[in-house]
Structure formats: C-alpha cells, structure tokens
Coordinates of all heavy atoms in Angstrom, one line a residue:
M1295 N 159.8 149.1 134.7 CA 159.3 150.2 133.9 C 158.3 149.6 132.9 O 157.3 150.3 132.7 CB 160.4 150.9 133.2 CG 160.0 152.2 132.6 SD 159.5 153.4 133.9 CE 160.3 154.8 133.3
Q1296 N 158.5 148.5 132.4 CA 157.5 147.9 131.4 C 156.2 147.6 132.0 O 155.1 147.8 131.4 CB 158.1 146.7 130.8 CG 159.2 146.9 129.7 CD 159.6 145.7 129.1 OE1 159.5 144.6 129.6 NE2 160.2 145.8 127.9
E1297 N 156.2 147.2 133.3 CA 154.9 146.8 134.0 C 154.1 148.1 134.1 O 152.9 148.1 133.9 CB 155.3 146.2 135.4 CG 154.0 145.8 136.1 CD 153.3 144.6 135.5 OE1 154.0 143.8 134.8 OE2 152.1 144.6 135.6
N1298 N 154.7 149.2 134.4 CA 154.0 150.5 134.5 C 153.4 150.9 133.2 O 152.3 151.4 133.1 CB 154.9 151.6 135.1 CG 155.1 151.4 136.6 OD1 154.4 150.7 137.2 ND2 156.2 152.1 137.1
D1299 N 154.2 150.7 132.1 CA 153.8 151.1 130.8 C 152.6 150.2 130.4 O 151.6 150.7 129.8 CB 154.9 150.9 129.8 CG 156.0 151.9 129.9 OD1 155.7 153.0 130.6 OD2 157.1 151.7 129.4
L1300 N 152.7 148.9 130.7 CA 151.6 148.0 130.4 C 150.3 148.4 131.2 O 149.2 148.4 130.6 CB 152.0 146.5 130.7 CG 151.0 145.5 130.4 CD1 150.6 145.5 128.9 CD2 151.6 144.1 130.8
Q1301 N 150.5 148.7 132.4 CA 149.4 149.1 133.3 C 148.7 150.4 132.7 O 147.5 150.5 132.7 CB 149.8 149.3 134.7 CG 148.8 149.2 135.7 CD 148.1 147.9 135.8 OE1 148.6 146.9 135.3 NE2 147.0 147.8 136.5
A1302 N 149.5 151.3 132.3 CA 149.0 152.6 131.8 C 148.3 152.3 130.4 O 147.2 152.9 130.2 CB 150.2 153.6 131.5
L1303 N 148.8 151.4 129.6 CA 148.2 151.1 128.4 C 146.8 150.4 128.6 O 145.8 150.7 128.0 CB 149.1 150.2 127.6 CG 148.6 149.8 126.1 CD1 148.5 151.1 125.3 CD2 149.7 148.9 125.5
M1304 N 146.8 149.5 129.6 CA 145.6 148.8 130.0 C 144.5 149.8 130.4 O 143.3 149.7 130.1 CB 145.8 147.7 131.0 CG 146.6 146.5 130.5 SD 145.7 145.6 129.2 CE 144.5 144.8 130.2
S1305 N 144.9 150.8 131.2 CA 144.0 151.8 131.7 C 143.4 152.6 130.6 O 142.2 152.9 130.5 CB 144.7 152.7 132.7 OG 145.1 152.0 133.9
R1306 N 144.3 152.9 129.6 CA 143.8 153.7 128.5 C 142.8 152.9 127.6 O 141.8 153.4 127.1 CB 145.0 154.2 127.6 CG 145.8 155.2 128.3 CD 146.9 155.8 127.5 NE 146.3 156.6 126.5 CZ 147.0 157.3 125.5 NH1 148.3 157.1 125.5 NH2 146.4 158.0 124.7
F1307 N 143.1 151.6 127.5 CA 142.2 150.7 126.7 C 140.8 150.6 127.4 O 139.8 150.7 126.8 CB 142.8 149.3 126.6 CG 143.7 149.1 125.4 CD1 144.9 148.5 125.5 CD2 143.4 149.6 124.1 CE1 145.8 148.3 124.5 CE2 144.2 149.5 123.1 CZ 145.4 148.8 123.2
E1308 N 140.9 150.5 128.7 CA 139.6 150.5 129.5 C 138.8 151.8 129.3 O 137.6 151.7 129.1 CB 139.9 150.2 131.0 CG 140.3 148.8 131.2 CD 140.8 148.6 132.7 OE1 140.6 149.5 133.5 OE2 141.3 147.5 133.0
L1309 N 139.5 152.9 129.3 CA 138.8 154.2 129.1 C 138.2 154.2 127.7 O 137.1 154.7 127.5 CB 139.8 155.3 129.3 CG 140.2 155.6 130.8 CD1 141.3 156.7 130.8 CD2 138.9 156.1 131.5
L1310 N 139.0 153.7 126.7 CA 138.5 153.7 125.3 C 137.3 152.8 125.2 O 136.3 153.2 124.5 CB 139.6 153.3 124.4 CG 140.7 154.3 124.1 CD1 141.8 153.7 123.3 CD2 140.1 155.5 123.3
I1311 N 137.3 151.7 125.8 CA 136.2 150.8 125.8 C 135.0 151.4 126.4 O 133.9 151.3 125.9 CB 136.5 149.4 126.5 CG1 137.6 148.7 125.6 CG2 135.3 148.6 126.7 CD1 138.2 147.5 126.3
E1312 N 135.1 152.1 127.5 CA 134.0 152.8 128.2 C 133.5 153.9 127.3 O 132.2 154.0 127.1 CB 134.5 153.4 129.5 CG 134.7 152.4 130.6 CD 135.3 153.1 131.9 OE1 135.1 154.3 132.1 OE2 135.9 152.4 132.7
R1313 N 134.3 154.6 126.6 CA 133.9 155.6 125.7 C 133.1 155.1 124.5 O 132.1 155.6 124.1 CB 135.2 156.4 125.2 CG 134.8 157.6 124.3 CD 134.1 158.7 125.0 NE 133.9 159.8 124.1 CZ 132.9 160.6 124.1 NH1 131.9 160.4 124.9 NH2 132.8 161.6 123.2
V1314 N 133.6 154.0 124.0 CA 132.9 153.3 122.9 C 131.5 152.9 123.3 O 130.5 153.1 122.6 CB 133.7 152.1 122.3 CG1 132.9 151.2 121.4 CG2 135.0 152.6 121.6
E1315 N 131.4 152.3 124.5 CA 130.1 151.9 125.0 C 129.2 153.1 125.2 O 128.0 153.1 124.8 CB 130.2 151.1 126.3 CG 130.9 149.8 126.1 CD 130.2 148.9 125.2 OE1 128.9 148.8 125.2 OE2 130.9 148.2 124.4
Q1316 N 129.7 154.2 125.7 CA 129.0 155.4 125.9 C 128.5 156.0 124.5 O 127.3 156.3 124.3 CB 129.8 156.5 126.6 CG 129.1 157.8 126.7 CD 130.0 158.9 127.3 OE1 131.2 158.8 127.2 NE2 129.4 160.0 127.8
L1317 N 129.3 156.0 123.5 CA 129.0 156.4 122.2 C 127.9 155.5 121.5 O 127.0 156.0 120.8 CB 130.2 156.5 121.3 CG 131.2 157.7 121.7 CD1 132.5 157.6 120.8 CD2 130.5 159.0 121.5
K1318 N 128.0 154.2 121.8 CA 127.0 153.3 121.3 C 125.6 153.6 121.9 O 124.6 153.6 121.1 CB 127.4 151.8 121.6 CG 128.4 151.3 120.7 CD 128.7 149.8 121.1 CE 129.8 149.2 120.3 NZ 130.1 147.8 120.7
R1319 N 125.6 153.9 123.2 CA 124.3 154.2 123.8 C 123.8 155.5 123.3 O 122.6 155.6 123.0 CB 124.5 154.3 125.3 CG 124.7 153.0 126.0 CD 124.7 153.1 127.5 NE 125.7 154.0 128.1 CZ 126.9 153.6 128.4 NH1 127.3 152.3 128.3 NH2 127.8 154.5 128.9
Q1320 N 124.6 156.5 123.1 CA 124.2 157.8 122.6 C 123.7 157.6 121.1 O 122.7 158.2 120.7 CB 125.4 158.8 122.6 CG 125.7 159.4 123.9 CD 126.9 160.3 123.9 OE1 127.6 160.4 122.9 NE2 127.1 161.0 125.0
N1321 N 124.4 156.8 120.3 CA 124.0 156.6 119.0 C 122.6 155.9 118.9 O 121.7 156.3 118.1 CB 125.0 155.8 118.2 CG 124.7 155.7 116.7 OD1 124.5 156.7 116.1 ND2 124.7 154.5 116.2
A1322 N 122.4 154.9 119.8 CA 121.1 154.3 119.8 C 120.0 155.2 120.2 O 118.9 155.2 119.6 CB 121.1 153.1 120.8
L1323 N 120.3 156.1 121.1 CA 119.3 157.1 121.5 C 119.0 158.1 120.3 O 117.8 158.4 120.0 CB 119.8 157.9 122.7 CG 118.9 159.0 123.2 CD1 117.5 158.5 123.7 CD2 119.6 159.8 124.3
L1324 N 120.0 158.5 119.6 CA 119.8 159.4 118.5 C 119.1 158.7 117.4 O 118.2 159.3 116.7 CB 121.2 159.9 118.0 CG 121.9 160.9 118.9 CD1 123.3 161.1 118.4 CD2 121.1 162.2 119.0
V1325 N 119.3 157.5 117.2 CA 118.6 156.7 116.1 C 117.1 156.6 116.5 O 116.2 156.8 115.6 CB 119.2 155.3 115.9 CG1 118.3 154.4 115.1 CG2 120.6 155.4 115.3
A1326 N 116.8 156.4 117.7 CA 115.4 156.3 118.2 C 114.7 157.6 118.1 O 113.6 157.7 117.6 CB 115.4 155.8 119.7
Q1327 N 115.4 158.7 118.4 CA 114.9 160.0 118.3 C 114.6 160.4 116.8 O 113.6 160.9 116.5 CB 115.8 161.1 118.9 CG 115.8 161.1 120.4 CD 116.9 162.1 120.9 OE1 117.8 162.5 120.2 NE2 116.7 162.5 122.2
E1328 N 115.5 160.0 115.9 CA 115.4 160.3 114.5 C 114.1 159.5 114.0 O 113.3 160.1 113.2 CB 116.6 159.9 113.7 CG 116.4 160.1 112.2 CD 117.6 159.6 111.4 OE1 118.4 158.7 111.9 OE2 117.7 160.0 110.2
R1329 N 114.0 158.2 114.4 CA 112.9 157.4 114.0 C 111.6 158.1 114.4 O 110.6 158.2 113.6 CB 113.0 156.0 114.6 CG 111.9 155.1 114.0 CD 112.0 153.7 114.6 NE 113.4 153.2 114.6 CZ 114.1 152.9 115.7 NH1 113.6 153.1 116.9 NH2 115.3 152.4 115.6
S1330 N 111.5 158.6 115.6 CA 110.3 159.2 116.2 C 110.0 160.5 115.4 O 108.9 160.8 115.1 CB 110.6 159.6 117.7 OG 109.5 160.3 118.2
W1331 N 111.1 161.3 115.1 CA 110.8 162.5 114.4 C 110.4 162.3 112.9 O 109.5 163.0 112.4 CB 112.1 163.4 114.4 CG 112.5 164.0 115.7 CD1 111.6 164.2 116.7 CD2 113.7 164.3 116.2 NE1 112.3 164.8 117.8 CE2 113.6 164.8 117.5 CE3 115.0 164.3 115.6 CZ2 114.7 165.3 118.2 CZ3 116.1 164.7 116.3 CH2 115.9 165.2 117.6
R1332 N 110.9 161.2 112.3 CA 110.5 160.9 111.0 C 109.0 160.4 111.0 O 108.2 160.8 110.1 CB 111.3 159.7 110.4 CG 112.7 160.2 110.0 CD 113.5 159.0 109.4 NE 114.8 159.4 109.1 CZ 115.2 160.0 107.9 NH1 114.3 160.2 107.0 NH2 116.5 160.3 107.7
E1333 N 108.6 159.7 112.0 CA 107.2 159.3 112.1 C 106.3 160.5 112.3 O 105.2 160.6 111.7 CB 107.0 158.3 113.3 CG 107.6 156.9 113.0 CD 107.7 156.0 114.2 OE1 107.2 156.4 115.3 OE2 108.2 154.9 114.1
E1334 N 106.7 161.4 113.2 CA 105.9 162.6 113.4 C 105.8 163.4 112.2 O 104.8 164.0 111.8 CB 106.6 163.4 114.6 CG 105.8 164.7 114.9 CD 106.5 165.5 116.0 OE1 107.6 165.1 116.5 OE2 105.9 166.5 116.3
R1335 N 106.9 163.5 111.4 CA 107.0 164.3 110.2 C 106.0 163.7 109.2 O 105.2 164.4 108.5 CB 108.4 164.3 109.6 CG 108.5 165.1 108.3 CD 110.0 165.1 107.8 NE 110.1 166.0 106.7 CZ 110.0 165.5 105.4 NH1 109.7 164.3 105.2 NH2 110.1 166.3 104.4
A1336 N 106.0 162.4 109.1 CA 105.1 161.7 108.1 C 103.6 162.0 108.5 O 102.8 162.2 107.6 CB 105.4 160.2 108.1
Q1337 N 103.4 161.9 109.8 CA 102.0 162.2 110.3 C 101.6 163.6 110.0 O 100.5 163.9 109.5 CB 101.9 161.9 111.8 CG 102.0 160.5 112.1 CD 102.0 160.3 113.6 OE1 102.1 161.2 114.4 NE2 102.1 159.0 114.0
L1338 N 102.5 164.6 110.2 CA 102.2 166.0 109.9 C 102.0 166.2 108.4 O 101.1 167.0 108.0 CB 103.3 166.9 110.4 CG 103.4 167.0 112.0 CD1 104.7 167.7 112.4 CD2 102.2 167.6 112.5
I1339 N 102.8 165.6 107.6 CA 102.6 165.7 106.1 C 101.3 165.1 105.7 O 100.6 165.8 104.9 CB 103.8 164.9 105.4 CG1 105.1 165.7 105.5 CG2 103.4 164.7 103.9 CD1 106.3 165.0 105.0
E1340 N 100.9 164.0 106.3 CA 99.6 163.4 106.0 C 98.4 164.4 106.4 O 97.5 164.6 105.7 CB 99.4 162.1 106.7 CG 98.1 161.4 106.4 CD 97.8 161.1 104.9 OE1 98.8 160.9 104.2 OE2 96.7 161.0 104.5
K1341 N 98.5 164.9 107.6 CA 97.5 165.9 108.1 C 97.5 167.1 107.2 O 96.4 167.6 106.9 CB 97.8 166.3 109.5 CG 97.5 165.3 110.5 CD 97.8 165.8 112.0 CE 97.5 164.7 113.0 NZ 97.8 165.2 114.4
N1342 N 98.6 167.6 106.7 CA 98.7 168.7 105.8 C 98.0 168.4 104.5 O 97.3 169.2 104.0 CB 100.1 169.1 105.6 CG 100.3 170.4 104.9 OD1 99.5 171.3 105.1 ND2 101.3 170.5 104.0
E1343 N 98.2 167.2 104.0 CA 97.6 166.8 102.7 C 96.1 166.7 102.9 O 95.3 167.2 102.0 CB 98.1 165.5 102.3 CG 99.6 165.6 101.7 CD 99.6 166.5 100.5 OE1 98.8 166.4 99.6 OE2 100.6 167.2 100.4
I1344 N 95.6 166.2 104.0 CA 94.2 166.1 104.3 C 93.6 167.5 104.3 O 92.5 167.8 103.7 CB 93.9 165.3 105.6 CG1 94.2 163.9 105.4 CG2 92.4 165.5 106.0 CD1 94.3 163.0 106.7
A1345 N 94.2 168.4 105.0 CA 93.7 169.8 105.1 C 93.7 170.5 103.8 O 92.8 171.2 103.4 CB 94.6 170.6 106.1
K1346 N 94.8 170.2 103.0 CA 94.9 170.8 101.7 C 93.7 170.3 100.8 O 93.1 171.1 100.1 CB 96.2 170.4 101.0 CG 96.5 171.0 99.7 CD 97.8 170.6 99.2 CE 98.1 171.0 97.8 NZ 99.4 170.5 97.3
R1347 N 93.4 169.0 100.8 CA 92.3 168.5 100.0 C 91.0 169.1 100.5 O 90.1 169.4 99.6 CB 92.3 167.0 100.1 CG 93.4 166.3 99.3 CD 93.1 164.8 99.2 NE 93.2 164.1 100.4 CZ 94.3 163.5 101.0 NH1 95.4 163.6 100.3 NH2 94.2 162.9 102.1
K1348 N 90.8 169.2 101.8 CA 89.5 169.8 102.3 C 89.4 171.3 101.8 O 88.3 171.7 101.4 CB 89.5 169.8 103.8 CG 89.2 168.4 104.4 CD 89.2 168.4 105.9 CE 88.9 167.1 106.5 NZ 88.9 167.1 108.0
I1349 N 90.5 172.0 101.9 CA 90.4 173.4 101.4 C 90.1 173.5 99.9 O 89.3 174.3 99.5 CB 91.7 174.2 101.8 CG1 91.8 174.3 103.3 CG2 91.8 175.5 101.1 CD1 93.1 174.8 103.8
E1350 N 90.8 172.6 99.2 CA 90.6 172.6 97.7 C 89.1 172.3 97.4 O 88.5 172.9 96.5 CB 91.5 171.7 97.0 CG 92.9 172.2 97.0 CD 93.9 171.2 96.5 OE1 93.6 170.0 96.3 OE2 95.1 171.6 96.2
S1351 N 88.6 171.3 98.2 CA 87.2 171.0 98.0 C 86.2 172.1 98.3 O 85.3 172.4 97.6 CB 86.9 169.8 98.9 OG 85.5 169.4 98.8
M1352 N 86.5 172.8 99.4 CA 85.7 174.0 99.8 C 85.8 175.1 98.7 O 84.7 175.7 98.3 CB 86.2 174.6 101.1 CG 85.7 173.8 102.3 SD 86.1 174.6 103.8 CE 87.6 173.8 104.3
I1353 N 86.9 175.3 98.2 CA 87.1 176.3 97.1 C 86.3 175.9 95.9 O 85.6 176.8 95.3 CB 88.6 176.5 96.8 CG1 89.3 177.2 97.9 CG2 88.8 177.3 95.5 CD1 90.8 177.2 97.8
L1354 N 86.3 174.7 95.5 CA 85.6 174.2 94.3 C 84.1 174.4 94.6 O 83.3 174.8 93.7 CB 85.9 172.8 94.0 CG 87.3 172.5 93.4 CD1 87.5 171.0 93.3 CD2 87.4 173.2 92.1
R1355 N 83.6 174.1 95.8 CA 82.2 174.2 96.1 C 81.8 175.7 96.1 O 80.7 176.1 95.6 CB 81.9 173.6 97.5 CG 81.8 172.1 97.4 CD 81.3 171.5 98.7 NE 82.5 171.7 99.6 CZ 82.6 171.1 100.8 NH1 81.6 170.3 101.2 NH2 83.6 171.3 101.6
L1356 N 82.6 176.6 96.6 CA 82.4 178.0 96.6 C 82.3 178.5 95.2 O 81.4 179.3 94.8 CB 83.4 178.8 97.4 CG 83.3 178.6 98.9 CD1 84.5 179.3 99.6 CD2 82.0 179.2 99.4
K1357 N 83.2 178.1 94.3 CA 83.2 178.5 92.9 C 81.9 178.0 92.2 O 81.3 178.7 91.4 CB 84.4 178.0 92.2 CG 85.7 178.7 92.5 CD 86.9 178.2 91.7 CE 88.1 178.9 92.1 NZ 89.3 178.4 91.3
A1358 N 81.5 176.8 92.6 CA 80.3 176.2 92.0 C 79.1 177.0 92.4 O 78.2 177.3 91.6 CB 80.1 174.8 92.4
L1359 N 79.0 177.4 93.7 CA 77.9 178.2 94.2 C 77.9 179.6 93.6 O 76.9 180.2 93.2 CB 78.1 178.4 95.7 CG 77.7 177.2 96.6 CD1 78.0 177.4 98.1 CD2 76.2 176.9 96.4
E1360 N 79.1 180.1 93.4 CA 79.3 181.4 92.7 C 78.7 181.4 91.3 O 78.1 182.3 90.8 CB 80.7 181.9 92.8 CG 81.0 183.3 92.4 CD 82.5 183.6 92.6 OE1 83.3 183.2 91.7 OE2 82.9 184.2 93.6
Q1361 N 79.0 180.3 90.6 CA 78.6 180.2 89.2 C 77.1 180.0 89.1 O 76.4 180.4 88.2 CB 79.3 179.1 88.5 CG 80.8 179.4 88.2 CD 81.5 178.2 87.6 OE1 81.0 177.1 87.5 NE2 82.8 178.4 87.3
D1362 N 76.5 179.3 90.1 CA 75.1 179.1 90.1 C 74.3 180.4 90.4 O 73.1 180.5 90.0 CB 74.7 178.0 91.2 CG 75.2 176.6 90.7 OD1 75.5 176.4 89.6 OD2 75.2 175.8 91.6
S1363 N 74.9 181.3 91.0 CA 74.2 182.5 91.4 C 74.0 183.5 90.3 O 74.6 183.6 89.3 CB 75.0 183.3 92.5 OG 75.0 182.5 93.7

C-alpha cells in the first residue's frame, strides 16, 4: 500500500512541477506584453505632447495675427 501512495505522491509532484513550468512561461509572456505596452504608451504620450505643443504654437500664432490685424 505504501508503494501505491508513494507512486501517487510522485505523480502529483510531477503534475505540480509541470504546472509551475507552465505558469513560469505564462508569466514571462505577460511580462513581455507589459513591457511592450509600456513602450507603446510612452511613445503615444510623446506623440501627444508633440501634437499639444504644435497646437499651442498654432494658437499663439493665430492670436498674434489677430492682434496685428
């Protein structure tokens, strides 16, 4: 009876080890995705700032033209 218990325990350990490996792979994938999203977010923020500066510059030029008229 002990041999069967030991065999069952070994099988459960193997399943747990497989699960841990699967979770490690999933975690690595999620970390890579997060890094990619963070980089994309940073790029979008930068593009937004550039667009904002351009718009502010246009507004200032329009106000200057308005005052000259």
Side-chain angles (χ1 to χ4, degrees):
M1295 193 63 136
Q1296 284 184 338
E1297 184 66 28
N1298 286 342
D1299 290 343
L1300 182 58
Q1301 201 64 12
L1303 186 59
M1304 291 296 287
S1305 293
R1306 291 185 72 183
F1307 276 135
E1308 288 173 8
L1309 288 173
L1310 285 172
I1311 290 169
E1312 288 176 23
R1313 181 66 175 147
V1314 166
E1315 293 302 318
Q1316 177 188 19
L1317 290 172
K1318 283 181 182 180
R1319 288 189 300 272
Q1320 286 177 345
N1321 189 49
L1323 179 61
L1324 290 171
V1325 167
Q1327 287 175 339
E1328 180 188 16
R1329 187 180 313 117
S1330 174
W1331 292 334
R1332 285 182 184 272
E1333 290 170 3
E1334 182 181 2
R1335 181 179 184 270
Q1337 291 171 357
L1338 291 172
I1339 288 171
E1340 180 63 26
K1341 286 180 180 180
N1342 189 40
E1343 287 298 317
I1344 291 169
K1346 182 179 174 182
R1347 285 192 296 268
K1348 285 181 180 180
I1349 291 169
E1350 288 172 347
S1351 175
M1352 283 188 261
I1353 290 170
L1354 289 174
R1355 283 185 290 195
L1356 287 171
K1357 285 182 179 180
L1359 285 173
E1360 191 177 78
Q1361 289 175 356
D1362 289 344
S1363 295

